[in-house]
Amino acid sequence: MTTLSPLLAITPLCFCNRGSVESSKSIHYVCKTKKSRPKRRFGRMDVGKDSRLLFARSRVAAQPTEQMMFTSSNPLVDQLKEVSTYRFRTEIGGHVKISVGKINGKYAVYVEVSSLELGASDNISLMLIWGIYTSDSSCFMPLDPSSHARTIETPLLQNSFTRFATELEFEAKQTPFYLSFFLKPTSSGVEIKNHNRSNFCVPIGFDSGYPTPLGLSFSTDGSMNFAFFSRSAAGCVLCLYDDSTSGKPALELDLDPYVNRSGDIWHASLEGAWTFLSYGYRCKGAALQSDADKFDAGRVLLDPYSKIIINSVTDDVPGLLPKYLGRLCKEPVFDWSDDVPPNLAMEKLVVYRVNVMRFTKDNSSQISSDAAGTFAGLIEKLSHFKNLGVNAVLLESIFPFDGQKGPYFPCHFFSPSNVYGPSNASVAAISSMKEMVKKLHANGIEVLMEVVFTHTAGAGALQGIDDSSYYCTSIPTGLDSQNALNCNHPIVQRVILDSLQHWVTEFHIDGFCFINASSLLRSFGGEYLSRPPVVEAIAFHPLFSKTKIIADCWDPKELEAKETAFPHWKKWAEMNTKFCYDLRNFLRGEGLLSDLATRLCGSGDIFSSGRGPAFSFNYITRNFGLPLVDLVSFSGDELASELSWNCGEEGPTNKTTILERRLKQIRNYLFVLFVSLGVPVLNMGDECGQSSGGSTSYGSRKPFDWNALSTGFGIQTTQFISFLSSLRMRRSDLLQKRNFLKEENIDWHGSDQNPPRWEDPSCKFLAMTLKVDKPGSGLSSESSHVEGDMFIAFNAAGRSESVTLPEVPEGMTWHRLVDTALPFPGFFSNDSEPVIRQPYEMKSHSCMLLEANIHDG
């Protein structure tokens, strides 16, 4: 098999064996000139199995029907519709102008050569040696059936001393393809090419397109524009499929680097009348390729900017096709006219982290199989969110992902995974998600998304497009660089910003939680930047002025949170890992009182520099690590990093004292979460006692068990969470603060009303009084119920404490709202009896909350 590049002398002996073909094709060629040359006709030719990519895939039968002299003011040029004009410089000076357009349903190509420096000795006669190709610019399609000729020599007619011209015409059904040619004076035989010493090349039946916007876009006339970034690739092939189950593209267009490339963007435009269903790209290796850039010319790549993707079939050849292809259609129209985002202040949020699939996948959800595990299923369980009192859901990453590693290893950033839609359909998933967002908004619930922009899946993501730009290929040894994205590279930064903008504008997402956010701070070489461009760009993006932006420094690769001073520009909130660790330490009987106090007051050590407690997203558990019921049931040596406590016995038990202690601890965790300044974040399944059996892996998490909500534990825990949510809302003056408490609004106590022993590690008791701002005048006579100060106490010791209560204003008394040591349903209530007896006996491992109200007696 021989393949002759058009960069060299072209002869009619170029064949490419690129696969089999199901049917044969015929080519007809007709040539006429003004000088009445004899007409030549060629009969039918069986192309056969050796020309599939060159002919069968392209559906092209080249028929240049006539050539004629014209000038730049030729009336035929003026008759062309949808004209595209291309201008080239030749390697010896002079210019070549090519006009391509439609006339009478055909494509006309006008070639004009001017100011060509041929020299005085040359007999001024010029030939156009041309051929056509689609999938491979180095191998032309056969044109002459008798000799398998792949090039044609056509004379250019001279209409002035330095101007030559000719016309070619092709049937529209023969396109799309590229016309490639060079010039040759008949006297000298020297080949004249463009200034890059390569063939002149123009697209026929499609256009050069535009470099922006990236991805697939549609013009008002229905044409499709393709724009694809690859800086290092020497060539780029647009692959078009007419059947999503086909293993091979129906058409491949080898994009010309001169016509179809602007800077580092490859682009082309195709009429919308074509019936192709999906598309992808193949990248060819660069001449000056670094070790970081590895191109597999046979691998079809997913467009990173595809808005709708479909699953492709796998071929017999491993790695030949991607797992996904971009779909050639517009995004479905959705009616957002009645959508009103809640636009809640951050300090008002109560967040519920949910895995869309696991939330309703279990049969206990009692919803249809089509809706189970999808966005539609989540809508059917809307009442659960309202019962808990949450006003924001945090969706675990919904990007298309690596099926083996899970959703935190994404393949794509511009669409939800098809698995969350009915029948795993891409368009249905998009429409279903939008319907979910609209329904949640209508019920006052915001939608936040976890996003992963710091790394990708190991294959099928951005690999092979331009690795030296997309990936951190030069991170020093010792840092995890496997599939790590180069987030602060301009092109990756653009992908991130464009993706966020897409989710905000097209899906009305209210906020984003950036997983592994500490890696957003790294430069290309791995060092941390004080002003990382991507973090700053997100903070100041005008579209995100009302969007919640949350940094979560938990690393799904190393399964740990990385503490770092995150640059925030008074915009970025953070998942507060210190809150989780310090609370766990205190409730298991370790840690200092000062650490607990810092977390209760909104973590001023983290959020005091221009932010406030509303920027602290507090959590106890998350979807990795131990769930809440296991946090009080398992504490083996292998779980040391979890800071858990089994309450006296490892694993499941029937001992009443152990079970009661565990139940108190679960109540304590939830209580501290809701009375601390900041945003409480609940984790799916904790409200019904979902267990992983002591496993910390993500895969050990089970689907939500809806039957567990009707158990005694499920009933009292969901009711307690609902009570705490309503308490935060009712006492927003003290529990939902955007700014830190003033010194005069809080007092700290030991059990005897003396100052706490802050630095004594043996002390496990802490109490605080949250004091309301004193009004300018006396109590209003119109109010029968005035909400006063709150007294909150925490006892992590294994013994009871006799607590002396602080004084209350005249006419008021303390009322107990919460005592986690009391049995259900009495351990929380809005209508408790006043606390008259002093001191108050506080049981071991318990918390309590008292509220000062007007004494009815």
Side-chain angles (χ1 to χ4, degrees):
M1 178 183 74
T2 60
T3 301
L4 188 61
S5 169
L7 300 180
L8 305 174
I10 300 179
T11 68
L13 297 174
C14 176
F15 289 90
C16 293
N17 185 359
R18 296 291 296 275
S20 61
V21 64
E22 292 77 7
S23 62
S24 63
K25 300 291 181 179
S26 299
I27 298 177
H28 299 270
Y29 171 77
V30 178
C31 179
K32 295 180 180 180
T33 71
K34 291 293 183 180
K35 296 182 179 179
S36 302
R37 286 187 180 178
K39 181 166 58 177
R40 300 171 59 203
R41 288 185 178 273
F42 297 92
R44 295 178 58 86
M45 180 189 77
D46 189 347
V47 175
K49 295 184 178 181
D50 290 338
S51 305
R52 184 184 186 202
L53 278 181
L54 296 180
F55 184 82
R57 291 188 191 177
S58 65
R59 313 166 186 169
V60 176
Q63 289 183 321
T65 59
E66 185 176 1
Q67 42 186 319
M68 58 192 303
M69 182 177 68
F70 72 98
T71 66
S72 59
S73 59
N74 191 309
L76 288 179
V77 178
D78 298 332
Q79 296 178 33
L80 290 179
K81 297 179 180 179
E82 304 174 8
V83 180
S84 298
T85 302
Y86 306 91
R87 293 178 174 85
F88 299 85
R89 289 184 291 110
T90 76
E91 59 184 320
I92 64 170
H95 300 87
V96 175
K97 177 182 176 182
I98 307 168
S99 298
V100 182
K102 278 188 173 181
I103 182 170
N104 299 326
K106 301 179 180 180
Y107 280 96
V109 181
Y110 298 93
V111 182
E112 184 176 25
V113 181
S114 61
S115 304
L116 199 61
E117 299 177 1
L118 296 176
S121 61
D122 288 315
N123 182 16
I124 302 178
S125 179
L126 200 60
M127 300 296 291
L128 185 81
I129 291 82
W130 61 271
I132 61 176
Y133 70 88
T134 56
S135 61
D136 188 349
S137 61
S138 67
C139 195
F140 287 175
M141 298 165 54
L143 296 173
D144 188 337
S146 63
S147 64
H148 299 292
R150 294 172 183 266
T151 60
I152 300 295
E153 293 188 6
T154 301
L156 286 95
L157 302 183
Q158 185 175 7
N159 55 25
S160 71
F161 182 70
T162 60
R163 193 179 295 271
F164 301 81
T166 192
E167 173 193 354
L168 303 175
E169 195 172 84
F170 302 91
E171 295 290 341
K173 64 182 180 181
Q174 301 165 354
T175 60
F177 58 83
Y178 278 97
L179 172 66
S180 179
F181 65 88
F182 61 86
L183 306 172
K184 183 168 69 171
T186 56
S187 59
S188 65
V190 176
E191 296 177 0
I192 302 174
K193 299 187 178 184
N194 66 26
H195 65 287
N196 288 325
R197 299 191 59 80
S198 59
N199 279 20
F200 303 94
C201 183
V202 293
I204 310 296
F206 68 107
D207 203 357
S208 60
Y210 304 95
T212 58
L214 286 172
L216 173 67
S217 57
F218 292 84
S219 302
T220 54
D221 62 0
S223 63
M224 301 175 291
N225 189 77
F226 302 84
F228 179 79
F229 165 84
S230 183
R231 183 178 188 178
S232 302
C236 182
V237 179
L238 174 61
C239 304
L240 299 167
Y241 295 77
D242 55 12
D243 184 353
S244 62
T245 63
S246 173
K248 303 290 185 181
L251 174 68
E252 293 184 293
L253 294 174
D254 191 355
L255 302 184
D256 181 72
Y258 186 78
V259 174
N260 297 104
R261 181 172 185 173
S262 298
D264 298 329
I265 309 297
W266 301 82
H267 46 82
S269 178
L270 201 64
E271 290 184 358
W274 292 100
T275 58
F276 300 115
L277 298 178
S278 55
Y279 74 104
Y281 296 93
R282 290 193 293 110
C283 289
K284 300 179 181 180
L288 299 177
Q289 179 176 321
S290 67
D291 292 338
D293 291 302
K294 299 178 177 62
F295 296 101
D296 181 356
R299 178 184 173 194
V300 181
L301 305 168
L302 172 66
D303 179 2
Y305 274 79
S306 293
K307 304 304 188 298
I308 303 176
I309 65 175
I310 58 176
N311 294 336
S312 70
V313 299
T314 56
D315 194 64
D316 294 336
V317 182
L320 180 62
L321 284 177
K323 185 175 182 179
Y324 301 102
L325 291 171
R327 182 166 175 178
L328 288 171
C329 67
K330 296 181 180 179
E331 292 185 80
V333 176
F334 188 80
D335 182 11
W336 288 105
S337 57
D338 298 327
D339 182 60
V340 181
N343 195 26
L344 301 172
M346 274 204 301
E347 64 270 17
K348 303 294 184 183
L349 294 180
V350 177
V351 180
Y352 185 92
R353 189 199 305 266
V354 59
N355 179 290
V356 174
M357 180 173 289
R358 293 175 178 173
F359 191 54
T360 59
K361 184 179 181 180
D362 193 78
N363 291 334
S364 62
S365 65
Q366 296 185 347
I367 61 178
S368 66
S369 58
D370 286 343
T374 68
F375 297 122
L378 189 144
I379 296 176
E380 292 195 29
K381 294 299 183 179
L382 176 62
S383 59
H384 183 62
F385 302 133
K386 302 186 76 172
N387 291 339
L388 291 175
V390 302
N391 54 19
V393 293
L394 173 59
L395 306 179
E396 290 184 18
S397 179
I398 58 171
F399 291 160
F401 57 89
D402 184 325
Q404 294 182 342
K405 290 189 174 182
Y408 291 101
F409 295 85
C411 300
H412 195 61
F413 305 113
F414 285 86
S415 64
S417 175
N418 299 346
V419 300
Y420 303 122
S423 304
N424 293 339
S426 54
V427 174
I430 292 172
S431 298
S432 180
M433 181 177 179
K434 292 180 179 179
E435 188 62 44
M436 177 199 70
V437 173
K438 186 176 181 180
K439 187 73 172 180
L440 290 170
H441 282 178
N443 286 271
I445 299 175
E446 292 194 342
V447 181
L448 315 178
M449 276 177 54
E450 288 185 343
V451 290
V452 185
F453 291 121
T454 58
H455 58 275
T456 67
L462 300 171
Q463 294 90 349
I465 298 176
D466 196 291
D467 290 358
S468 60
S469 295
Y470 278 115
Y471 289 98
C472 294
T473 56
S474 61
I475 289 183
T477 303
L479 295 175
D480 184 9
S481 61
Q482 185 177 13
N483 305 313
L485 287 175
N486 186 12
C487 300
N488 287 292
H489 187 284
I491 190 63
V492 183
Q493 177 180 324
R494 180 175 177 179
V495 170
I496 293 173
L497 293 174
D498 289 347
S499 172
L500 297 175
Q501 182 171 326
H502 177 70
W503 289 102
V504 170
T505 56
E506 296 298 325
F507 291 86
H508 291 204
I509 296 301
D510 302 289
F512 302 97
C513 180
F514 292 75
I515 300 298
N516 196 23
S518 59
S519 291
L520 294 174
L521 312 182
R522 283 183 176 176
S523 71
F524 180 79
E527 65 272 10
Y528 285 96
L529 304 173
S530 60
R531 297 190 62 170
V534 66
V535 175
E536 186 172 5
I538 293 171
F540 290 104
H541 197 293
L543 184 63
F544 309 147
S545 62
K546 295 183 179 180
T547 303
K548 279 78 175 177
I549 304 295
I550 310 154
D552 187 347
C553 292
W554 175 78
D555 185 346
K557 300 189 297 295
E558 299 182 6
L559 303 181
E560 65 179 11
K562 297 179 179 179
E563 294 186 12
T564 183
F566 201 88
H568 54 80
W569 287 279
K570 301 182 181 179
K571 174 64 177 178
W572 283 80
E574 295 181 46
M575 283 288 175
N576 193 344
T577 304
K578 283 189 175 181
F579 177 92
C580 172
Y581 291 168
D582 287 345
L583 176 56
R584 290 185 182 190
N585 256 333
F586 177 78
L587 289 182
R588 70 173 184 162
E590 300 181 15
L592 298 175
L593 298 183
S594 56
D595 294 334
L596 175 64
T598 301
R599 305 306 153 217
L600 291 169
C601 292
S603 298
D605 57 334
I606 304 173
F607 302 101
S608 60
S609 57
R611 291 186 285 182
F615 289 81
S616 174
F617 280 64
N618 303 328
Y619 68 95
I620 308 164
T621 60
R622 58 182 309 140
N623 45 6
F624 279 78
L626 294 176
L628 182 56
V629 71
D630 289 358
L631 192 62
V632 299
S633 304
F634 297 90
S635 56
D637 293 340
E638 70 279 4
L639 298 173
S641 62
E642 291 292 309
L643 306 179
S644 57
W645 178 47
N646 62 18
C647 296
E649 185 170 320
E650 188 73 4
T653 183
N654 293 322
K655 294 182 180 179
T656 303
T657 55
I658 301 296
L659 292 175
E660 289 178 348
R661 190 177 301 141
R662 289 177 179 177
L663 184 58
K664 282 194 298 181
Q665 285 290 79
I666 289 174
R667 295 172 180 176
N668 293 339
Y669 274 115
L670 293 171
F671 176 76
V672 179
L673 178 67
F674 276 83
V675 300
S676 299
L677 293 184
V679 177
V681 180
L682 296 165
N683 198 55
M684 183 189 83
D686 284 348
E687 70 271 33
C688 62
Q690 204 98 1
S691 172
S692 65
S695 172
T696 60
S697 69
Y698 180 83
S700 65
R701 294 300 176 100
K702 302 173 183 177
F704 193 94
D705 183 1
W706 291 92
N707 292 330
L709 289 176
S710 59
T711 64
F713 177 89
I715 291 172
Q716 64 173 288
T717 305
T718 53
Q719 289 185 12
F720 187 40
I721 292 173
S722 178
F723 166 81
L724 293 172
S725 298
S726 61
L727 174 66
R728 277 181 64 89
M729 184 178 299
R730 181 174 65 83
R731 294 312 310 267
S732 59
D733 59 321
L734 295 176
L735 300 179
Q736 292 181 336
K737 304 283 289 183
R738 188 166 188 85
N739 300 313
F740 292 103
L741 290 166
K742 299 177 183 178
E743 189 174 348
E744 58 266 26
N745 291 121
I746 186 169
D747 285 336
W748 298 99
H749 317 282
S751 59
D752 55 1
Q753 285 297 296
N754 287 322
R757 303 199 303 272
W758 293 114
E759 304 303 325
D760 184 354
S762 65
C763 184
K764 308 302 176 187
F765 180 89
L766 180 65
M768 64 179 181
T769 301
L770 301 179
K771 298 186 288 184
V772 298
D773 291 325
K774 298 190 180 300
S777 57
L779 297 176
S780 171
S781 59
E782 299 178 359
S783 176
S784 59
H785 180 79
V786 176
E787 294 170 336
D789 299 346
M790 300 179 73
F791 178 77
I792 307 174
F794 314 89
N795 181 21
R799 63 181 184 278
S800 298
E801 286 281 355
S802 296
V803 182
T804 303
L805 303 181
E807 297 292 330
V808 294
E810 185 177 353
M812 304 186 79
T813 188
W814 291 115
H815 288 248
R816 185 184 67 235
L817 301 185
V818 177
D819 187 338
T820 59
L822 298 178
F824 177 74
F827 76 92
F828 66 93
S829 174
N830 277 316
D831 302 315
S832 294
E833 295 293 322
V835 177
I836 306 299
R837 180 179 298 179
Q838 289 260 27
Y840 187 94
E841 189 70 16
M842 193 172 176
K843 301 296 184 180
S844 63
H845 304 294
S846 68
C847 301
M848 74 166 178
L849 185 152
L850 310 180
E851 184 180 41
N853 291 324
I854 295 177
H855 183 48
D856 296 334

